[in-house]
Coordinates of all heavy atoms in Angstrom, one line a residue:
M1 N -21.2 15.8 12.5 CA -22.5 15.4 11.8 C -22.2 15.1 10.3 O -21.5 15.9 9.7 CB -23.5 16.5 11.9 CG -24.7 16.3 11.1 SD -25.8 17.6 11.1 CE -25.2 18.8 10.0
L2 N -22.7 14.0 9.8 CA -22.6 13.7 8.4 C -23.8 14.3 7.7 O -24.8 14.3 8.2 CB -22.5 12.2 8.2 CG -21.3 11.5 8.7 CD1 -21.5 10.0 8.4 CD2 -20.0 12.0 8.0
A3 N -23.5 14.8 6.5 CA -24.6 15.4 5.6 C -24.2 15.1 4.2 O -23.1 14.9 3.8 CB -24.7 16.9 5.9
T4 N -25.3 15.3 3.4 CA -25.0 15.1 2.0 C -24.5 16.5 1.4 O -24.6 17.5 2.0 CB -26.3 14.8 1.2 OG1 -27.2 15.9 1.3 CG2 -26.9 13.5 1.7
L5 N -23.9 16.4 0.2 CA -23.5 17.6 -0.4 C -24.6 18.6 -0.7 O -24.4 19.8 -0.5 CB -22.7 17.4 -1.7 CG -21.3 16.8 -1.6 CD1 -20.7 16.6 -3.0 CD2 -20.4 17.9 -0.8
R6 N -25.8 18.1 -1.0 CA -26.9 19.0 -1.3 C -27.3 19.7 0.0 O -27.8 20.8 -0.1 CB -28.1 18.1 -1.7 CG -28.0 17.7 -3.1 CD -29.4 17.0 -3.5 NE -29.2 16.2 -4.8 CZ -29.4 16.8 -6.0 NH1 -29.7 18.0 -6.1 NH2 -29.3 16.0 -7.0
E7 N -27.0 19.1 1.1 CA -27.4 19.8 2.4 C -26.4 20.9 2.8 O -26.8 21.8 3.5 CB -27.5 18.8 3.5 CG -28.6 17.8 3.4 CD -28.6 16.7 4.4 OE1 -27.5 16.2 4.7 OE2 -29.7 16.2 4.8
V8 N -25.2 20.8 2.4 CA -24.1 21.7 2.8 C -23.7 22.7 1.8 O -23.0 23.7 2.1 CB -22.8 21.0 3.4 CG1 -23.2 20.1 4.6 CG2 -22.1 20.2 2.3
L9 N -24.0 22.5 0.5 CA -23.6 23.4 -0.5 C -24.3 24.7 -0.2 O -25.5 24.8 -0.1 CB -23.9 22.9 -1.9 CG -23.0 21.8 -2.4 CD1 -23.5 21.3 -3.7 CD2 -21.6 22.2 -2.4
P10 N -23.5 25.8 -0.2 CA -24.0 27.1 0.2 C -24.7 27.8 -1.0 O -24.6 27.3 -2.1 CB -22.8 27.9 0.7 CG -21.7 27.3 -0.1 CD -22.1 25.8 -0.3
G11 N -25.3 28.9 -0.7 CA -25.9 29.7 -1.8 C -24.9 30.3 -2.7 O -23.6 30.1 -2.5
K12 N -25.3 31.0 -3.7 CA -24.4 31.6 -4.7 C -23.4 32.5 -4.1 O -23.7 33.3 -3.2 CB -25.3 32.4 -5.7 CG -24.6 32.9 -6.8 CD -25.6 33.5 -7.9 CE -24.8 34.0 -9.1 NZ -25.8 34.5 -10.1
G13 N -22.2 32.4 -4.5 CA -21.1 33.2 -4.0 C -20.3 32.7 -2.8 O -19.5 33.4 -2.3
R14 N -20.6 31.5 -2.4 CA -19.9 30.9 -1.3 C -19.4 29.5 -1.8 O -19.8 28.9 -2.8 CB -20.8 30.7 -0.1 CG -21.3 32.1 0.3 CD -21.4 32.4 1.7 NE -20.4 31.7 2.6 CZ -20.6 31.5 3.8 NH1 -21.6 32.0 4.5 NH2 -19.7 30.9 4.6
A15 N -18.5 28.9 -1.0 CA -18.0 27.6 -1.3 C -17.8 26.8 -0.1 O -17.8 27.3 1.1 CB -16.6 27.8 -2.0
V16 N -17.6 25.5 -0.2 CA -17.3 24.6 0.8 C -15.9 24.0 0.6 O -15.6 23.5 -0.5 CB -18.3 23.4 0.9 CG1 -17.9 22.4 2.0 CG2 -19.7 24.0 1.2
G17 N -15.0 24.2 1.6 CA -13.7 23.7 1.4 C -13.6 22.1 1.5 O -14.3 21.5 2.3
A18 N -12.8 21.5 0.7 CA -12.5 20.1 0.7 C -11.0 19.9 1.0 O -10.2 20.6 0.5 CB -12.8 19.5 -0.7
F19 N -10.8 19.0 2.0 CA -9.5 18.8 2.4 C -9.0 17.4 2.3 O -9.7 16.5 2.8 CB -9.3 19.2 3.9 CG -9.7 20.7 4.1 CD1 -11.0 21.1 4.3 CD2 -8.7 21.7 4.1 CE1 -11.3 22.4 4.5 CE2 -9.0 23.0 4.2 CZ -10.3 23.4 4.4
D20 N -7.9 17.1 1.7 CA -7.3 15.7 1.7 C -6.8 15.4 3.0 O -6.0 16.1 3.6 CB -6.2 15.6 0.7 CG -6.6 15.6 -0.8 OD1 -7.8 15.3 -1.0 OD2 -5.8 16.0 -1.7
V21 N -7.2 14.2 3.5 CA -6.6 13.8 4.8 C -6.0 12.4 4.7 O -6.4 11.6 3.9 CB -7.8 13.7 5.9 CG1 -8.4 15.0 6.2 CG2 -8.8 12.8 5.5
V22 N -4.9 12.3 5.3 CA -4.1 11.0 5.2 C -4.0 10.2 6.5 O -3.3 9.3 6.6 CB -2.7 11.3 4.6 CG1 -2.7 11.9 3.2 CG2 -1.9 12.2 5.6
G23 N -4.7 10.7 7.4 CA -4.8 9.9 8.7 C -5.8 10.6 9.6 O -6.4 11.6 9.4
L24 N -6.1 9.8 10.7 CA -7.0 10.3 11.7 C -6.7 11.7 12.3 O -7.6 12.5 12.5 CB -7.2 9.3 12.8 CG -8.3 9.5 13.9 CD1 -9.7 9.7 13.2 CD2 -8.3 8.4 14.9
E25 N -5.4 11.9 12.5 CA -5.0 13.2 13.2 C -5.4 14.3 12.2 O -5.8 15.4 12.6 CB -3.5 13.2 13.4 CG -3.1 12.1 14.5 CD -2.9 10.8 13.9 OE1 -2.9 10.6 12.6 OE2 -2.7 9.8 14.6
W26 N -5.1 14.2 10.9 CA -5.5 15.2 9.9 C -7.0 15.5 9.9 O -7.4 16.6 9.9 CB -5.0 14.8 8.6 CG -3.5 14.9 8.4 CD1 -2.5 14.7 9.2 CD2 -2.8 15.2 7.1 NE1 -1.3 14.8 8.7 CE2 -1.5 15.2 7.3 CE3 -3.3 15.6 5.8 CZ2 -0.5 15.4 6.4 CZ3 -2.3 15.8 4.9 CH2 -1.0 15.7 5.1
A27 N -7.7 14.4 9.9 CA -9.2 14.5 9.9 C -9.7 15.2 11.1 O -10.5 16.2 11.1 CB -9.9 13.2 9.7
E28 N -9.2 14.9 12.2 CA -9.6 15.5 13.5 C -9.2 17.0 13.5 O -10.0 17.8 14.0 CB -8.9 14.9 14.7 CG -9.5 13.5 15.0 CD -8.7 12.8 16.1 OE1 -7.5 13.1 16.3 OE2 -9.3 11.8 16.7
A29 N -8.1 17.4 13.0 CA -7.7 18.8 12.9 C -8.6 19.6 12.0 O -9.0 20.7 12.4 CB -6.3 18.9 12.4
V30 N -8.9 19.1 10.9 CA -9.8 19.8 9.9 C -11.2 19.9 10.5 O -11.8 21.0 10.5 CB -9.9 19.0 8.6 CG1 -11.0 19.6 7.7 CG2 -8.6 19.1 7.9
L31 N -11.7 18.9 11.1 CA -13.0 18.9 11.8 C -13.1 19.8 13.0 O -14.1 20.5 13.2 CB -13.5 17.5 12.2 CG -13.8 16.5 11.0 CD1 -14.1 15.1 11.5 CD2 -14.9 17.1 10.2
E32 N -12.1 19.9 13.7 CA -12.0 20.8 14.9 C -12.1 22.3 14.4 O -12.9 23.1 15.0 CB -10.7 20.6 15.7 CG -10.6 21.5 16.9 CD -9.5 21.2 17.8 OE1 -8.9 20.1 17.8 OE2 -9.0 22.2 18.4
G33 N -11.3 22.6 13.4 CA -11.4 23.9 12.8 C -12.8 24.3 12.2 O -13.3 25.4 12.4
A34 N -13.3 23.3 11.5 CA -14.7 23.5 10.9 C -15.7 23.8 12.0 O -16.6 24.6 11.9 CB -15.0 22.4 10.1
E35 N -15.7 22.9 13.1 CA -16.6 23.1 14.2 C -16.4 24.4 14.9 O -17.4 25.1 15.3 CB -16.5 21.9 15.2 CG -17.0 20.7 14.6 CD -16.7 19.5 15.5 OE1 -16.0 19.6 16.6 OE2 -17.2 18.4 15.2
T36 N -15.2 24.8 15.2 CA -14.9 26.1 15.8 C -15.5 27.3 15.0 O -16.1 28.2 15.6 CB -13.4 26.3 15.9 OG1 -12.8 25.3 16.8 CG2 -13.1 27.7 16.5
L37 N -15.4 27.2 13.7 CA -16.0 28.3 12.8 C -17.4 28.1 12.5 O -18.1 29.0 11.8 CB -15.0 28.4 11.5 CG -13.6 28.7 11.8 CD1 -12.9 28.6 10.4 CD2 -13.6 30.2 12.3
G38 N -18.0 26.9 12.7 CA -19.3 26.6 12.4 C -19.6 26.5 10.9 O -20.6 26.9 10.4
L39 N -18.6 26.0 10.2 CA -18.6 25.8 8.8 C -18.6 24.4 8.3 O -17.9 23.5 9.0 CB -17.4 26.6 8.1 CG -17.5 28.1 8.3 CD1 -16.2 28.7 7.8 CD2 -18.6 28.7 7.6
P40 N -19.2 24.0 7.2 CA -19.1 22.6 6.7 C -17.8 22.5 5.9 O -17.2 23.4 5.4 CB -20.3 22.6 5.7 CG -20.5 23.9 5.2 CD -20.2 24.8 6.4
V41 N -17.3 21.2 5.9 CA -16.2 20.9 5.1 C -16.4 19.5 4.5 O -17.2 18.8 4.9 CB -14.8 20.8 6.0 CG1 -14.5 22.1 6.5 CG2 -15.0 19.8 7.1
V42 N -15.6 19.2 3.5 CA -15.6 17.9 2.8 C -14.3 17.3 3.2 O -13.2 17.9 2.8 CB -15.8 18.1 1.3 CG1 -15.7 16.7 0.6 CG2 -17.2 18.7 1.0
L43 N -14.3 16.1 3.7 CA -13.0 15.4 3.9 C -12.8 14.4 2.8 O -13.8 13.6 2.5 CB -13.2 14.6 5.2 CG -13.3 15.4 6.6 CD1 -13.3 14.4 7.7 CD2 -12.1 16.3 6.6
S44 N -11.7 14.5 2.2 CA -11.3 13.6 1.1 C -10.2 12.7 1.6 O -9.1 13.2 1.9 CB -10.8 14.5 -0.1 OG -10.4 13.7 -1.2
V45 N -10.5 11.4 1.6 CA -9.5 10.4 2.0 C -8.5 10.3 0.9 O -8.9 10.1 -0.3 CB -10.2 9.1 2.4 CG1 -9.2 8.1 2.7 CG2 -11.1 9.3 3.5
A46 N -7.3 10.4 1.2 CA -6.2 10.4 0.1 C -5.2 9.4 0.3 O -4.1 9.7 0.6 CB -5.5 11.9 0.2
P47 N -5.5 8.1 0.0 CA -4.5 7.0 0.1 C -3.4 7.3 -0.9 O -2.3 6.8 -0.6 CB -5.3 5.8 -0.2 CG -6.5 6.2 -0.9 CD -6.8 7.6 -0.5
H48 N -3.6 8.0 -1.9 CA -2.5 8.2 -3.0 C -1.5 9.1 -2.3 O -0.3 9.2 -2.9 CB -3.1 8.8 -4.2 CG -3.7 10.2 -4.1 ND1 -4.9 10.3 -3.5 CD2 -3.3 11.4 -4.3 CE1 -5.3 11.6 -3.5 NE2 -4.3 12.3 -3.9
L49 N -1.7 9.8 -1.2 CA -0.7 10.6 -0.6 C 0.0 9.9 0.6 O 0.7 10.5 1.4 CB -1.4 11.9 0.0 CG -2.0 12.8 -1.1 CD1 -2.6 14.0 -0.4 CD2 -0.9 13.4 -2.0
G50 N -0.3 8.6 0.6 CA 0.5 7.8 1.7 C -0.4 7.4 2.8 O 0.1 6.8 3.8
G51 N -1.7 7.9 2.9 CA -2.6 7.5 4.0 C -3.3 6.2 3.8 O -3.1 5.5 2.8
P52 N -4.0 5.8 4.8 CA -4.7 4.6 4.7 C -5.9 4.6 3.8 O -6.4 5.6 3.5 CB -5.3 4.4 6.2 CG -5.4 5.7 6.7 CD -4.3 6.5 6.0
P53 N -6.3 3.4 3.3 CA -7.5 3.4 2.4 C -8.8 3.8 3.2 O -8.8 3.7 4.4 CB -7.5 1.9 1.9 CG -6.8 1.2 2.9 CD -5.7 2.1 3.5
L54 N -9.8 4.2 2.5 CA -11.0 4.6 3.1 C -11.5 3.6 4.1 O -12.0 4.0 5.2 CB -12.0 4.9 2.0 CG -13.4 5.3 2.5 CD1 -13.4 6.6 3.3 CD2 -14.4 5.5 1.3
P55 N -11.6 2.3 3.7 CA -12.2 1.3 4.7 C -11.4 1.4 6.1 O -12.0 1.0 7.1 CB -12.1 0.0 4.0 CG -12.1 0.3 2.6 CD -11.3 1.6 2.5
A56 N -10.2 1.7 6.1 CA -9.4 1.7 7.4 C -9.7 3.0 8.1 O -9.7 3.0 9.3 CB -8.0 1.6 7.0
L57 N -9.9 4.1 7.4 CA -10.1 5.4 8.1 C -11.6 5.7 8.4 O -11.9 6.4 9.4 CB -9.5 6.5 7.2 CG -9.5 7.9 7.7 CD1 -8.7 8.0 9.0 CD2 -8.9 8.9 6.8
A58 N -12.5 5.3 7.6 CA -13.9 5.6 7.7 C -14.5 5.3 9.1 O -15.3 6.1 9.6 CB -14.7 5.0 6.6
P59 N -14.2 4.1 9.7 CA -14.9 3.8 11.0 C -14.5 4.9 12.0 O -15.3 5.1 13.0 CB -14.4 2.5 11.3 CG -14.1 1.9 10.0 CD -13.5 3.0 9.2
A60 N -13.4 5.4 11.9 CA -13.0 6.5 13.0 C -13.8 7.7 12.9 O -14.0 8.4 13.8 CB -11.5 6.8 12.8

């Protein structure tokens, strides 16, 4: 599920993890862990780390 940051930012004393992903496999792994734990995450597309640019990864 996609959501805005306002929707997922927790109350005081908690945080939302942000993870750089450089490919579909990385994104899937982060999302699988988040879904298992029932926690929100922020996916950060990281072409500067050798991954594809956002327009190539976003449709997946």
